[in-house]
Amino acid sequence: MFKKKQKKVSRSPGKSTIPTGYSKMIQWCLDNSIAVCVVPDWSRSSEYWKIEIKINNKVHVDPAVYTVANVHDKKYEYYKYYYDKYNKTS
């Protein structure tokens, strides 16, 4: 009669703390259509992650594979990179 909904497979890279001074850079990037996301690498085990960068609705995927231990550091590194590259008022 009623079917149970199948649970979707999901992964989480865990929580991270935004490094001191990065909030301004991240907000600037988001306000200027630059987003950096952590996405699962579905072709590997659950401890591997990729980084997706969306700039003006164009999505680019970093070819490198990261672990939970370093994926958030790389995400913040990308935010700083794009902030420094495109923010001409700093």
Side-chain angles (χ1 to χ4, degrees):
M1 195 171 241
F2 293 102
K3 292 184 180 179
K4 271 188 163 180
K5 284 188 175 182
Q6 298 255 339
K7 285 189 177 184
K8 292 185 178 183
V9 176
S10 64
R11 293 184 189 168
S12 172
K15 294 182 180 181
S16 71
T17 303
I18 297 173
T20 305
Y22 277 69
S23 294
K24 176 184 171 185
M25 289 182 246
I26 293 168
Q27 189 60 54
W28 185 91
C29 287
L30 295 174
D31 290 344
N32 288 278
S33 301
I34 300 171
V36 181
C37 307
V38 175
V39 295
D41 184 355
W42 292 106
S43 66
R44 298 174 187 241
S45 69
S46 63
E47 63 189 65
Y48 294 104
W49 298 86
K50 288 191 168 244
I51 294 183
E52 203 174 74
I53 303 161
K54 186 175 181 181
I55 302 173
N56 295 324
N57 291 323
K58 291 184 181 177
V59 177
H60 309 276
V61 178
D62 181 345
V65 177
Y66 302 96
T67 62
V68 173
N70 64 2
V71 71
H72 291 294
D73 293 337
K74 190 64 178 181
K75 175 180 72 173
Y76 295 126
E77 188 179 315
Y78 272 123
Y79 272 122
K80 182 176 181 349
Y81 170 80
Y82 286 108
Y83 177 82
D84 292 343
K85 181 176 181 178
Y86 293 116
N87 183 21
K88 303 300 180 194
T89 59
S90 62

